[in-house]
């Protein structure tokens, strides 16, 4: 059964979601978990404590947050499992629509990506 990663990107410092969205998400996630679709997930703290390791031209550099140039940050994630891509896309749209309904002033992007079940092929380049 294919697995998917759901990511939520939004403006950093955009405020906390309203209680109505928290309540709607509790119901939605509970239903998805009961059906075996929601495997795990959660929200992320802001980027003020984030750490990135940048690899460029054979050098590794540590870069600590916050990132003034960042317009959007990943604010949440989920690990999902559906029978098909179409079913996962429909569920991700339903998830995004919960935000539109209960937090209409927010701007967010709900991204769905399928998880590769095999290691990538190495490049000889």
């Amino acid at each position: 059964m294919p697995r998917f990663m759901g990511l939520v990107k939004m403006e950093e410092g955009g405020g906390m979601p309203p209680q109505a969205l928290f309540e709607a998400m509790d119901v939605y996630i509970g239903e998805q978990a009961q059906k075996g679709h929601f495997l795990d997930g959660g929200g992320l703290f802001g980027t003020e404590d984030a750490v990135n390791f940048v690899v460029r031209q054979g050098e590794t550099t540590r870069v600590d947050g916050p990132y003034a140039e960042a317009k959007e940050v990943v604010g949440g994630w989920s690990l999902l499992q559906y029978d098909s891509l179409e079913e996962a896309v429909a569920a991700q749209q339903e998830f995004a629509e919960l935000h539109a309904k209960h937090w209409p002033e927010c701007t967010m992007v709900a991204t769905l990506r399928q998880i590769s079940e095999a290691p990538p092929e190495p490049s000889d380049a």
Side-chain angles (χ1 to χ4, degrees), residues 33-53:
Q34 198 168 34
K35 294 175 185 174
H37 298 312
F38 181 87
L39 305 177
D40 200 359
L44 299 173
F45 289 111
T47 62
E48 62 273 5
D49 296 329
V51 177
N52 284 329
F53 290 94

Side-chain angles (χ1 to χ4, degrees), residues 18-64:
Q19 186 62 33
L21 179 58
F22 280 117
E23 292 170 3
M25 293 301 296
D26 282 348
V27 171
Y28 178 77
I29 290 171
E31 291 170 353
Q32 296 299 310
Q34 198 168 34
K35 294 175 185 174
H37 298 312
F38 181 87
L39 305 177
D40 200 359
L44 299 173
F45 289 111
T47 62
E48 62 273 5
D49 296 329
V51 177
N52 284 329
F53 290 94
V54 178
V55 176
R56 182 178 300 131
Q57 299 178 341
E59 299 282 330
T60 302
T61 306
R62 179 180 167 158
V63 181
D64 295 334

Side-chain angles (χ1 to χ4, degrees), residues 36-114:
H37 298 312
F38 181 87
L39 305 177
D40 200 359
L44 299 173
F45 289 111
T47 62
E48 62 273 5
D49 296 329
V51 177
N52 284 329
F53 290 94
V54 178
V55 176
R56 182 178 300 131
Q57 299 178 341
E59 299 282 330
T60 302
T61 306
R62 179 180 167 158
V63 181
D64 295 334
Y67 310 106
E69 69 281 1
K71 301 272 188 248
E72 291 182 332
V73 297
V74 177
W77 64 280
S78 58
L79 181 59
L80 309 161
Q81 181 170 274
Y82 288 93
D83 290 331
S84 68
L85 174 62
E86 293 77 19
E87 191 178 359
V89 169
Q92 189 73 350
Q93 182 172 351
E94 187 177 355
F95 171 81
E97 288 171 350
L98 282 175
H99 287 73
K101 178 179 179 182
H102 296 287
W103 197 14
E105 64 274 18
C106 106
T107 299
M108 59 89 84
V109 177
T111 300
L112 180 73
R113 297 188 61 187
Q114 187 166 354

